[in-house]
Structure formats: C-alpha cells, structure tokens
Amino acid sequence: MLGQPYCPSNIQQIIDDLVSEISKQPAAGQVANYIPALAEVDPNAIGVALATINGECYTAGDAEKDFSIQSIAKIYALVMAMLRNDDSMWERVRMEPSGQAFNSIVQLESEQGIPRNPMINAGAIVVADMLVNQYSSSNHAFLQFIQKLCAKQDIHFDEDVFVSEQQHGHRNAAMAHLMKAFNNIHADVDEVLAHYFFQCSLAMSCKDLANSLLFLANKGKQPKHAEPVCSRRDCHRINAILSTSGMYDQSGEFAFQVGLPAKSGVGGGIVAIVPGFGVIAVYSPRLNQF
C-alpha cells in the first residue's frame, strides 16, 4: 500500500527458520558471570521479536521470556535526559565512539572525567546523574516511562539482579567517584549508582523491547500514541549514537556487517532499529569477548 512500510508476507516463517537454524549450531560464548545473578540464566535460551511501525509483531522462540536488559536501558535513560536538557548536556557526555571496553577507566582519567558517549558505562552514569537531579523519584519516573512506551503496567525490575549489581559494581563506583572528583557528577554518588543499577536491572522480553522502541524507527513517534516521544532531530541523534557506539568496541564491525543502529546488553539482549520499518530484538545469553 502506498505510504506503508514494506513488510514481506513471510516474516514469521523467516524468524521461525532462523531460531530453528541457530538452535542446531554448536554453542559459543559464555553467559556474563561477573554479575552472579546473570550467571544463573539458561545459556541456551533464544528469542526473536520483530515489531513494525504498522502494528505487527512477529515472535519466535523465547521472545516473551523476561530477562535483565542491562545496558539496553541506556537508550531509555538517554531519551529521558534529552527531553529534560538542552544541548549543554553534551558538554558533560560526548557523542564520540570510545574504542575502549564499555567499563574502561583509563580513557575517563585521560579525558578529565568527560565520558566519550552515553552508551558506555561512564556516560550512562552521567546520564543517571541528570535523571536523579531532575526527578524527585528517578526510579519511578524511569519505570513509568517504559511502561507507557510498552503500554504495559507489569514491567518490573529484578531485585536479585539489582542486589547483585550493587554488591559487584566496584568498577562502576570507581568511575562515578572519579567523575565526581572532576565535578561531572552533581548528585550523591550512592544515589546515582542506585539509579543506574536499578535501570540495568529492569526485566523485559524481546517483544516488550521491540514494541517499546518503535518510536526510534518512526521519526520519534510511538505508533498509536497521540504525542511524539521525542523530536525527529533527537530521534536521528539517538540512532546516530547507537550506530557508532551501541555495540561498544565492536560497533564499527557491527555497522559494517549489519548496518543498523543497535544496542547490546550483557544480559544477552540486542535491539536493532530499522528506520521506517520497525525494531528487531533478540535474546541469547551467551556473549562474545566484546
């Protein structure tokens, strides 16, 4: 139909075949074990969801299984921060690829506490500081924001993962204190870290993720919502950051091979935006070295 996104009639068959094919391949990679709660998940789970901006949602495998979204939460936090701040926020967190590991401290020290981008941990902690300063209850506001995007009230956080994050988040705490020393964290460090660990501990499914992020494929507007989530300019900027930095120090290779704005999380999820069409979300807890 004229004006409608192209949607092949055999999408369901494609993703069913994909999950079946992958399930037969030899296992590779390891589940995240530096956060003990993540080490307990089923390593063989596989889920795929594809939501389109015309209202369709195709799923296969464990697509409706909740898992810890971890760093995928950085997308939602960034959107919220951009809605509350002007362009001066980019003086506190840049928009450049890092070329370093997602939790690197070395670069942060050499660049005087200004993280390279909001998709690495240090940058996301600065964004968390913005939210803590601008909302009376940043955790509640964050959860409500995602529930509204999903049109689903039972989105929740995993308390076991949250506690595990707090008990083993020493490197994140080190980065936060280092940035505080450079005057780039304004709120209490413990409060900022508590929010950051809370957002990482959100439990969602591939289906929830794909549906909630459709606005990034639709020029900032969530289908069926009266008001846009963000401006077209901010939508473009977020997708640009995901393209260059969403897959950490494998972002260049991912952009070269796949070519879609995307974000990964150590919980095993990846979301990819297909502008003008929809969102793909996948779940497989085994991770590569990146």
Side-chain angles (χ1 to χ4, degrees):
M1 184 181 296
L2 187 64
Q4 294 295 312
Y6 172 65
C7 186
S9 60
N10 62 336
I11 286 181
Q12 187 62 57
Q13 187 64 54
I14 291 171
I15 64 173
D16 284 340
D17 291 346
L18 179 65
V19 168
S20 176
E21 179 184 341
I22 292 173
S23 299
K24 297 171 184 175
Q25 293 183 3
Q30 302 292 329
V31 298
N33 55 17
Y34 69 97
I35 301 172
L38 297 184
E40 299 171 3
V41 302
D42 176 9
N44 299 313
I46 299 173
V48 180
L50 190 159
T52 69
I53 61 176
N54 63 5
E56 302 293 334
C57 188
Y58 305 88
T59 62
D62 297 307
E64 299 193 44
K65 179 184 180 69
D66 285 349
F67 61 92
S68 180
I69 68 169
Q70 292 292 312
S71 285
I72 295 173
K74 294 170 182 175
I75 302 175
Y76 305 110
L78 178 59
V79 174
M80 291 179 68
M82 290 173 74
L83 291 174
R84 286 288 183 108
N85 292 273
D86 58 24
D87 281 355
S88 63
M89 69 175 282
W90 300 108
E91 297 172 6
R92 296 183 59 194
V93 56
R94 304 299 296 154
M95 67 292 290
E96 299 294 339
S98 71
Q100 300 288 329
F102 67 95
N103 58 358
S104 172
I105 295 178
V106 176
Q107 195 171 63
L108 192 61
E109 166 72 21
S110 65
E111 298 183 0
Q112 301 186 337
I114 308 295
R116 279 286 182 97
N117 65 72
M119 294 297 122
I120 55 176
N121 287 17
I125 291 170
V126 170
V127 171
D129 180 62
M130 295 176 188
L131 299 184
V132 166
N133 275 288
Q134 292 165 345
Y135 290 92
S136 58
S137 175
S138 58
N139 288 359
H140 181 67
F142 187 82
L143 189 57
Q144 276 197 320
F145 181 66
I146 295 177
Q147 288 172 339
K148 183 177 180 181
L149 290 176
C150 292
K152 186 176 178 182
Q153 293 302 306
D154 62 349
I155 302 294
H156 63 284
F157 86 106
D158 187 319
E159 188 168 0
D160 290 339
V161 174
F162 176 73
V163 171
S164 199
E165 294 258 15
Q166 282 192 313
Q167 292 175 344
H168 297 85
H170 306 302
R171 182 175 285 268
N172 287 321
M175 288 188 283
H177 283 289
L178 179 61
M179 291 187 290
K180 183 78 169 178
F182 281 110
N183 298 314
N184 200 22
I185 294 293
H186 300 163
D188 177 76
V189 168
D190 288 341
E191 189 177 358
V192 173
L193 288 172
H195 174 87
Y196 177 70
F197 294 144
F198 174 86
Q199 70 181 40
C200 289
S201 302
L202 241 65
M204 297 174 68
S205 67
C206 292
K207 185 176 181 180
D208 293 332
L209 286 167
N211 281 313
S212 69
L213 293 171
L214 280 170
F215 69 95
L216 292 179
N218 196 38
K219 301 177 182 178
K221 189 175 187 308
Q222 193 74 337
K224 300 181 181 179
H225 285 207
E227 298 295 326
V229 177
C230 64
S231 68
R232 293 177 67 165
R233 185 188 74 161
D234 283 350
C235 178
H236 171 80
R237 287 180 165 186
I238 293 162
N239 283 332
I241 289 171
L242 294 178
S243 295
T244 61
S245 308
M247 302 296 286
Y248 302 125
D249 44 328
Q250 198 180 21
S251 294
E253 181 182 346
F254 189 89
F256 185 83
Q257 292 187 349
V258 180
L260 295 174
K263 184 74 196 83
S264 61
V266 296
I270 298 176
V271 293
I273 313 302
V274 188
F277 178 72
V279 178
I280 304 164
V282 299
Y283 172 56
S284 176
R286 297 181 188 273
L287 310 177
N288 69 6
Q289 69 269 29
F290 296 101

